[in-house]
Amino acid sequence: MDKTDKIYVAGHRGLVGSAIVRSLQEKGYTNIVGRTHGELDLTNQADVCRFFENESPDIVVLAAAKVGGINANNTKPAEFAYENMQVQCNVIKCCHDFKVKKLLFLGSTCIYPRMAPQPIPEDALLTGPLEETNEAYAIAKIAGLEMCKFFKRQYGDDFISCMPTNLYGPHDNYNLQDSHVLPAMIRKFHEAKENGETSVELWGTGSPLREFLYVDDMADACVFLLENYSGEQHVNIGTGKEVTIKELAETVRRTVGFEGEIRWNTEMPDGTPRKLTKVDKLHELGWHHKVDLEEGVKLAYEWFKENIDCARMEGR
C-alpha cells in the first residue's frame, strides 16, 4: 500500500469503519473515501458499479454490514441474510471488475460452529452446526469470506478476510432493540444510575464466556493486515482472553458507578456458551492488542457520556 492510494472504507461512519478511518489517518494515509447509506446503497448493484467506475479506488475495506444482537438476529433473519449477501456480492464483484489492488473483507467470529473447539482456530470454519440465534448473519458472512477466497484462487485477486471478535468502543450502537451486550450494559447501567433505580435486568444466566476487543485495536490490526498479509485463509482478530458475561457486567457496573442490583432474566437466551478466538496466526505475523478490557470499558463509557446526544440511541 502507498500512502497516496485511494482507500474506500465501506461503512466509514459505523463502529468498525470509523475506527479503521482513524487508524489509516494516524498512519499517514491521506486519500480516504466514504459514502453514507443515503449517498450509496450498497445493496443496489447498479449504484455500486457506478461508484467504482467514477471513483476507481485502489484499496477497499468492506466494513459495511447489517449487524445486531441476539434479539435482532432472532427476529429478522431474512433481512440479515439478504442484505448482507447483497452488499458483499456487489462490492466484491466490483473490486474484481474494476481491478482494485487489495480488498479487506471483515467477517465475525459468529461464523464458527456453536460447539467449535476453544480457543477457535481459523480452520474450525464449516466443521459443525452454527449457533441458531445468529445463523442468518453467520451464513452471509461465511459466503463473503469464501467469495474472497474463490476470487483469489481463480483470478489471483489480492482479497483477504479477517474475523474480529466482539467489538466495542466509539460510535457503537446503543439501541436496546438491536445492540450488542457491552454497549447495552453501558446504557442500562448509566440510565439506571441517572434515574436512581435500584436494579438492572440483564438477559440470560451470565455464564457464557466472551472475548472483547476495543475497536481501535481491531482497526490497527486491519491496517496491519492490509500492509503485511495476502494469504488465502482468513485471520482471527482478538485478544485471546475471555470473561463471563457476569464478570463483564460487574466491570461495566463498576465503571459506570451504579450501586444497585443486577437481576438475571434466565428465561432469555444465553447464545453460544463460549467463543474465544485463537489468535496465534495474528501473533505470528507480529500484531498484539494493546487495550485491556478494564481500560477499554472506561474509554467506551467516556465516549458515550460525551456523545450521548448524538449516539445511536433509538428505542428509548
Side-chain angles (χ1 to χ4, degrees), residues 91-104:
V91 174
I92 293 170
K93 183 62 161 57
C94 280
C95 285
H96 169 74
D97 289 345
F98 292 93
K99 296 180 171 52
V100 165
K101 291 200 307 187
K102 191 155 196 168
L103 163 68
L104 173 63

Side-chain angles (χ1 to χ4, degrees), residues 5-24:
D5 279 341
K6 180 180 283 190
I7 304 173
Y8 169 47
V9 179
H12 72 291
R13 286 167 53 165
L15 169 70
V16 172
S18 62
I20 292 173
V21 169
R22 288 195 299 274
S23 183
L24 287 166

Side-chain angles (χ1 to χ4, degrees), residues 155-299:
Y155 300 108
D157 294 324
D158 194 359
F159 294 175
I160 63 173
S161 300
C162 64
M163 297 299 117
T165 190
N166 299 295
L167 303 172
Y168 67 98
H171 301 283
D172 212 335
N173 177 15
Y174 292 91
N175 180 345
L176 296 181
Q177 299 303 311
D178 58 8
S179 63
H180 288 106
V181 60
L182 201 157
M185 284 184 181
I186 287 176
R187 177 174 172 180
K188 284 186 174 184
F189 284 125
H190 174 81
E191 291 184 348
K193 177 185 175 183
E194 292 295 299
N195 296 331
E197 297 172 9
T198 58
S199 66
V200 164
E201 179 184 290
L202 300 178
W203 281 16
T205 64
S207 61
L209 289 157
R210 290 291 183 273
E211 174 186 19
F212 295 93
L213 178 67
Y214 190 63
V215 72
D216 283 19
D217 269 349
M218 177 281 312
D220 185 67
C222 286
V223 178
F224 175 86
L225 290 172
L226 281 168
E227 294 175 333
N228 296 283
Y229 184 70
S230 291
E232 184 176 284
Q233 188 180 52
H234 60 278
V235 180
N236 288 338
I237 299 178
T239 65
K241 301 178 180 180
E242 60 188 344
V243 295
T244 66
I245 295 299
K246 280 187 176 179
E247 290 171 331
L248 174 67
E250 291 298 337
T251 298
V252 177
R253 176 167 67 169
R254 183 171 59 252
T255 301
V256 172
F258 175 69
E259 297 180 354
E261 175 190 6
I262 298 175
R263 292 184 291 106
W264 295 95
N265 184 347
T266 57
E267 294 184 359
M268 301 307 289
D270 272 331
T272 305
R274 188 184 184 200
K275 193 167 64 172
L276 176 68
T277 56
K278 186 178 177 65
V279 290
D280 294 19
K281 186 179 184 71
L282 189 57
H283 288 174
E284 289 167 4
L285 289 168
W287 188 91
H288 293 75
H289 78 283
K290 301 178 181 68
V291 181
D292 64 22
L293 184 63
E294 191 91 24
E295 179 187 357
V297 170
K298 290 178 182 176
L299 291 170

